[in-house]
Each structure stands twice: as C-alpha cells, then as structure tokens.
Amino acid sequence: MKNKIIVLLFLFLGYITNAQWKPQGDKIKTKWAAQVDPNKTLPEYPRPIMERRQWKNLNGLWNYAIQDLGKTAPSKYDGQILVPFAVESSLSGVMKQVGAEKELWYSTTFSIDSGWKKKNILLHFGAVDWKTEVWINNVKVGSHTGGYTPFSFDITPFVKKGKNQKLVVKVWDPSNDGPQPRGKQVKNPEGIWYTPVTGIWQTVWIEPVNKKSITNLKTTPNVDQNSISIKADVVGAQEGDIIEITVFDGGKEIANEKAVVGENLDITLNNLKLWSPESPFLYQTKISLISNDKVIDEVKSYFAMRKISSKRDEFGIIRMQLNNKDYFQFGPLDQGWWPDGLYTAPTDEALKYDIIKTKELGFNMIRKHVKVEPERWYTHCDELGILVWQDMPSGDEQPTWQNKTYFEGNELKRTAKSEEIYKKEWAAIMDHLYSYPSIVVWVPFNEAWGQFKTVEITEWTKNHDPSRLTNSSSGGNHFQTGDILDLHNYPGPEMYLYDARRVTVLGEYGGIGLPLEGHLWRANDNWGYVKFKNENEVTAEYIKYAQILKNYVKSGFSAAVYTQTTDVEGEVNGFMTYDRKVDKMDFKKVKDINTEVINALNHK
C-alpha cells in the first residue's frame, strides 16, 4: 500500500509540473511540440562523438527573470522556463523578448549522485546565446561569450556535501544591436529576418570524471595512406600515462594502438571501408586513459574514412572530389529553425527528421546556413550519410554587395573588438566540429554580410583546417582566394562567372514560394522569390530549374544549393511547410530529377 501511495504521489507531482508549463502563443507548431515533456526534455546524450556512461541531464523547468541591464540577482523570479528552449520561443513557456537593455536570469537546483563523491563534476552548456555568467552555490565559477559552441566548468570545489546545489545563470544578448555572430536573428523580424534567440538553447548537463580525464578528441582521416590520426587531449596527465585506442568494425576489433599522452596515434586500417552519402560507414572506437596499469577514464567515439578535395578533370574544369572521385554535391539551404522551438528542435526525432527528408529528396549535401546545430545533428548526418557545408553565423554590418563581378575593394571595416569576436567564435566553431566527418566545407562569409579582410580570413580558415575545402564568401564579394567561387542567383540557375583555377558552385538558387493556409507563421506579407498556387506548379518550376542546372553541371558547376529545406517564419519557399506537416512538392519527381542532376557529372 505504501509503495502505491509513493507512486501516486510521483504521478501527481509530475501532473502538477506539466500543468505549470504549456507552449505559449497561437503560432503554428510541429507535431513534436505535443511530445515535449518538462520532466524529460531532450533526454538524449548530447555529445555522441565522445560518450561516457555516467551523466545527468539538467534540462527541465527552471526559474527565470528578465531584468534591466546591470541589476543584481533577482530576489523574486518571474515564473518558470523550460530549458533548453530560448525565452522567445513558444516551447519555453515564456515567449517574451529580452533585448540589449535587459538581462535574462535563470535559477535551478540539482543533486549530485551519491556514487560520484570521489569524482570531479563538470557542468556543461551545449550553447547559450550570447554572454553567459554562471554561479554555483553563490560563487561565480566562470563566464563565456559565444552563442554557438559548448562550454563547461569544473564545479567540484563549489559543490556542497549532502545538499541540493544551487545554479544561477545570467545571460545578455544584444541581438542585432551588437556586432556578434547572430545569424538571421533581429529585434523586429520581417521578410528573411527571424525572431531573436536569447539564452540557453541547447542541453545543460553534468558528468563525473576523474582528476585525470580525456577532454577532447581530434580525428583526421588519411584515405590515401589508409590511416586515421587520433589525438586525445587529457587534463591532469603525468609522465608515463598512456592513451589506448581500440577500433571496431561493427562488433569486431580490428586495431589496437597505444601511445604516451600528448602523442598523435596514426592507425593503419586494412581493407578500408570508405564513407560516402551512398555508404555512410562509421568505425567505432574506445579510447582509454591508462595510469599505473589502471584504466582511469574511458570514452566511446567513432570516425569515418573520407577525403574531400578538388582536381582538374579531362576538360580542364576544377571539380570537387569525394574519396578521389569527381562528385557533384547537391543539397538544400538548411536554416534549422522551428516554429515552436526557434533554434531548438522540440525532440531528437524532429532534429533528425529534416535530414531524413533531405535524403528522401535525393540530395547528398546540406548547406547549414548561418547557424550551428547541436552535436547530435552532426552525428545524424554522419550516420545517415549527408555532406555538410558549415556556415559561420553572420554578424555585424554589410558593405556594398557586388555579386556578379570579381570585387577587390569595398569590405567592412570592423572594429578591433568585432574582429576579435569573429575570430574567436569562428575558431571555436571549427575546433568544436572538427571530428565530424560529414562536414566537408567551411564557409566564413555569406553574401558579403560582415565580410572583412577576405583573403586573410580565408587563408586563416584554410590553415586552421587544411583537411577541408574553404568557401571564402558564398555569393558575396568575390576575391580570388580559397578553394571555391560561389555564385548566388534567384530564382533560376545561372553561371555568370567561372573560375578556371578553383571549383565553381551555385551556392544558392530557387526560392520557389507556395504559401499554404493553415501552415503559415503569419497571415500575410509572406515572402518567396517567385510564388505559385499549388504543388503541381511548384514541382514543375523546380524541375524546370533542375534541367537548366543539369546543363551547367556539364559546363562547370561542381555543386549547387537550392533554397530551402522548410519555410521559415515569413519565408514560404521550403520543400516543406514551417510546421513540417505538408510536403509542398512531389518528392518522388524531385528525387528523380535531383538524381539526374547529380549523375550529370558522370555523363559529361
């Protein structure tokens, strides 16, 4: 009887918690919004490329307050917010704007599992936009700037024994009043500009580690030499400590190597299995830190053997190559926005859904547009088999935009502070995502927005990661630097420039609009480059553009990006509606013509 009462009490408390939270506003929502559970919010492990067995998710209902800039911590909070959904989103349960003159405060408590007593406790934030300060039990433990990369603090010295731990977070985000990277966020969204995203927008979690532990993995495949280079960073290591790496093909161990901490391990692989969108094979790994013959730390990871490069073909055209073969890359512009969660997908199934639909359309690539996704998104791309072009989220102002000529003059004169922010955050993004094999192209600038010191930044990007191609400015002011000349043209494909020394691509085209009543973010003022009235018309126009593109593939384009995966707020030019409830084109016909476009490179 007593056990039944306890179970009923837990169910009742869960009901009360759910009753306190509900999505806000009357905007459209995805089907996954109804599956969001405040007691189990985005429960999946947030860092699948370096996984430990023990961890604890801190997502859920926290207290929040919006205060004037510069005030002390609130004595009373405004209500509850569902972390990790941005305060402006419906799923946060708040749906309020903050702005540069205010600060967003969070407060919650958490407990440390009893089995973790002799461990160091790391507090992880997946991403917080933009400037974050963190307190544990009234002690400030650290701060961070940057809206797109994870950060963590070792909170061990500040944890109290046998008590709930108090966590307070303060966030300031100037949105488009500041020079920081922000993507499409603006205070007054309209047209191609969207709602601001302030505060925590990725999973918050803790994990126990030993004083000696693995902090990062960097994997670099070398297809030409049948080898994988793996570097494990370690904190607290001493002379004589060893890293052991075991490689698995499925459940079968195929390699085992050891090296002293700090050394790269270059592991040769026999009977190499290459990764591609058609065959996305991943090798699994176990990385162990050994001290005095004891395993002190252990993580699971994976890697893929793939090579991205470029080479002149028999007709003198510089082509993109995948695994040393000419390969036409074709995919949608993917902005990663959600009507209910804004930057944050409501569930992991939702996060994966857009990639699955992209594959269903016959594409082999995604251009991730001026946004960085949670780590699970990149693992889904690795597992499903999709190439990724990763944009740097744009910020600051835009100089004169000259798209149709080579342009060697007008660039943005960023302030020293703005330039420092850009370089710090772009380096952090590249370092953070380095080991995800699906990423094959870095894009520092989009359409001249924030474009400055183009040659210098492009060379700096290329030197930071020479294993990938660098697309210096997608559709922007064109300088003869980097690996790619990237043209934008709307609505249909056009090759108005060509570069005989670099890869030439169509970085954006299309934008065919179809507003569907009942699936619109706003009732009117919806936007597309061209608009049609039904699925048949939109599909026919898409096929018309694809036929034109097919001819350009033969004459020089090595990749193309269609705008876009889904409608986003006021934009109605997606393959799917913003709520993902309607496919707006005939997907089978689109897949058939997309396959023809991709195969056109093999039938020059």
Side-chain angles (χ1 to χ4, degrees):
M1 185 66 183
K2 184 179 178 182
N3 288 338
K4 286 184 179 179
I5 291 172
I6 291 171
V7 169
L8 288 170
L9 180 61
F10 273 110
L11 290 172
F12 176 72
L13 290 173
Y15 170 77
I16 293 295
T17 302
N18 279 292
Q20 290 174 333
W21 169 87
K22 65 177 180 178
Q24 295 298 302
D26 57 0
K27 300 283 191 183
I28 56 172
K29 295 173 179 61
T30 66
K31 68 179 182 180
W32 298 283
Q35 299 172 17
V36 173
D37 181 355
N39 299 306
K40 200 175 182 184
T41 310
L42 294 173
E44 296 81 11
Y45 190 81
R47 190 188 57 200
I49 206 162
M50 198 180 100
E51 184 175 348
R52 287 191 177 94
R53 285 185 293 112
Q54 292 184 309
W55 71 291
K56 186 174 185 178
N57 196 321
L58 301 187
N59 292 343
L61 288 169
W62 296 19
N63 297 319
Y64 86 94
I66 298 171
Q67 294 192 149
D68 290 337
L69 185 66
K71 284 198 167 187
T72 57
S75 56
K76 185 180 179 183
Y77 284 83
D78 298 344
Q80 291 194 306
I81 184 171
L82 185 57
V83 171
F85 297 103
V87 67
E88 296 91 349
S89 73
S90 169
L91 289 177
S92 71
V94 179
M95 207 174 182
K96 293 178 183 176
Q97 291 214 9
V98 181
E101 303 305 315
K102 303 275 188 181
E103 289 172 324
L104 173 61
W105 289 81
Y106 298 85
S107 174
T108 191
T109 59
F110 64 91
S111 60
I112 306 294
D113 289 8
S114 58
W116 299 2
K117 284 181 180 177
K118 295 183 180 180
K119 302 281 189 176
N120 283 19
I121 306 300
L122 302 182
L123 170 63
H124 295 277
F125 293 84
V128 184
D129 198 356
W130 177 72
K131 180 182 178 181
T132 311
E133 296 173 70
V134 179
W135 289 261
I136 294 289
N137 296 322
N138 301 317
V139 177
K140 185 176 178 181
V141 296
S143 59
H144 179 265
T145 56
Y148 297 95
T149 50
F151 56 97
S152 62
F153 305 108
D154 186 337
I155 62 172
T156 312
F158 317 106
V159 169
K160 293 183 178 180
K161 292 182 180 179
K163 294 182 180 179
N164 277 341
Q165 314 301 321
K166 181 183 177 184
L167 168 60
V168 173
V169 179
K170 181 176 75 171
V171 181
W172 177 68
D173 179 17
S175 190
N176 57 310
D177 285 334
Q180 83 290 348
R182 58 182 167 84
K184 293 286 194 79
Q185 305 174 54
V186 294
K187 292 184 299 182
N188 300 304
E190 59 179 350
I192 63 169
W193 309 103
Y194 317 141
T195 304
V197 172
T198 300
I200 298 168
W201 67 274
Q202 289 187 31
T203 290
V204 184
W205 55 294
I206 55 174
E207 68 173 340
V209 296
N210 287 315
K211 288 180 174 60
K212 294 181 182 182
S213 62
I214 298 163
T215 58
N216 186 54
L217 298 174
K218 186 175 183 179
T219 61
T220 309
N222 189 328
V223 165
D224 296 331
Q225 294 185 7
N226 295 346
S227 69
I228 182 74
S229 172
I230 303 178
K231 171 75 182 301
D233 294 332
V234 173
V235 66
Q238 296 175 302
E239 187 176 348
D241 289 348
I242 290 170
I243 285 289
E244 180 180 29
I245 297 176
T246 310
V247 181
F248 300 91
D249 177 344
K252 181 183 178 184
E253 180 180 323
I254 60 168
N256 180 274
E257 299 283 349
K258 295 177 183 177
V260 297
V261 169
E263 284 293 311
N264 280 16
L265 266 168
D266 296 309
I267 302 172
T268 300
L269 301 169
N270 298 321
N271 304 314
L272 200 63
K273 293 183 178 179
L274 298 176
W275 182 98
S276 69
E278 295 74 31
S279 180
F281 179 81
L282 298 174
Y283 290 91
Q284 305 299 316
T285 57
K286 181 176 71 176
I287 297 91
S288 303
L289 172 60
I290 300 171
S291 183
N292 296 321
D293 296 324
K294 290 183 180 180
V295 175
I296 301 299
D297 191 19
E298 192 167 88
V299 296
K300 290 196 305 181
S301 187
Y302 66 87
F303 65 85
M305 295 302 295
R306 68 98 186 92
K307 177 184 177 183
I308 183 68
S309 57
S310 60
K311 187 178 180 181
R312 194 178 301 277
D313 71 9
E314 64 269 33
F315 301 107
I317 299 169
I318 303 293
R319 296 290 185 186
M320 278 190 180
Q321 291 200 319
L322 180 66
N323 301 329
N324 295 319
K325 294 179 180 179
D326 291 354
Y327 192 90
F328 189 82
Q329 298 190 25
F330 192 20
L333 193 76
D334 188 319
Q335 313 220 43
W337 282 76
W338 301 85
D340 31 39
L342 299 180
Y343 257 17
T344 311
T347 68
D348 190 62
E349 182 187 0
L351 186 69
K352 190 175 181 179
Y353 182 80
D354 286 359
I355 307 168
I356 292 170
K357 297 296 281 188
T358 299
K359 293 280 287 188
E360 189 180 316
L361 285 159
F363 289 120
N364 57 27
M365 174 263 278
I366 288 170
R367 180 179 168 207
K368 180 49 64 177
H369 191 44
V370 296
K371 183 200 176 190
V372 178
E373 292 289 356
E375 292 185 71
R376 291 190 64 83
W377 186 86
Y378 297 94
T379 291
H380 290 322
C381 290
D382 295 341
E383 292 175 344
L384 292 169
I386 201 91
L387 301 167
V388 176
W389 295 12
Q390 179 61 56
D391 286 10
M392 169 63 174
S394 302
D396 216 309
E397 304 299 324
Q398 179 168 306
T400 303
W401 182 30
Q402 182 61 262
N403 186 32
K404 299 208 171 185
T405 61
Y406 278 107
F407 191 76
E408 298 290 345
N410 189 12
E411 294 184 285
L412 180 68
K413 298 295 188 291
R414 285 195 187 228
T415 65
K417 184 65 176 175
S418 173
E419 185 173 329
E420 178 191 349
I421 291 170
Y422 175 94
K423 286 184 174 180
K424 173 180 175 286
E425 296 196 27
W426 185 217
I429 288 167
M430 288 189 286
D431 289 343
H432 166 49
L433 299 177
Y434 181 89
S435 293
Y436 290 93
S438 51
I439 300 173
V440 292
V441 174
W442 297 121
V443 188
F445 300 115
N446 174 68
E447 290 188 351
W449 181 8
Q451 189 175 347
F452 74 106
K453 297 183 179 178
T454 307
V455 174
E456 178 186 321
I457 293 298
T458 301
E459 293 305 311
W460 175 72
T461 300
K462 188 70 180 172
N463 289 334
H464 199 79
D465 181 7
S467 72
R468 292 178 169 93
L469 301 181
T470 299
N471 182 358
S472 63
S473 54
S474 182
N477 295 338
H478 299 303
F479 292 73
Q480 293 181 337
T481 184
D483 301 300
I484 296 167
L485 168 65
D486 183 318
L487 312 179
H488 290 186
N489 197 74
Y490 287 100
E494 188 179 332
M495 188 187 290
Y496 45 81
L497 285 176
Y498 170 76
D499 196 321
R501 294 178 296 176
R502 294 182 295 164
V503 173
T504 303
V505 307
L506 183 61
E508 289 182 32
Y509 82 100
I512 304 168
L514 174 61
L516 290 180
E517 193 172 343
H519 302 277
L520 299 174
W521 177 258
R522 56 173 68 106
N524 46 42
D525 297 325
N526 290 294
W527 188 85
Y529 286 94
V530 288
K531 287 186 187 177
F532 292 88
K533 295 179 180 178
N534 57 56
E535 175 190 301
N536 290 336
E537 289 180 358
V538 173
T539 303
E541 191 74 358
Y542 181 87
I543 291 171
K544 184 180 84 174
Y545 292 164
Q547 294 287 5
I548 297 169
L549 176 61
K550 197 162 70 167
N551 292 325
Y552 283 129
V553 172
K554 297 173 184 177
S555 58
F557 277 145
S558 288
V561 178
Y562 177 84
T563 302
Q564 61 185 332
T565 307
T566 71
D567 295 350
V568 184
E569 297 205 356
E571 295 184 26
V572 292
N573 48 15
F575 286 108
M576 297 178 282
T577 53
Y578 194 21
D579 58 13
R580 277 72 167 176
K581 291 179 179 176
V582 180
D583 296 340
K584 299 201 296 180
M585 295 190 201
D586 184 323
F587 273 35
K588 185 182 184 306
K589 289 181 179 178
V590 170
K591 180 177 183 177
D592 288 345
I593 191 63
N594 284 349
T595 303
E596 288 184 31
V597 171
I598 291 168
N599 289 338
L601 187 56
N602 300 322
H603 301 90
K604 299 187 290 286

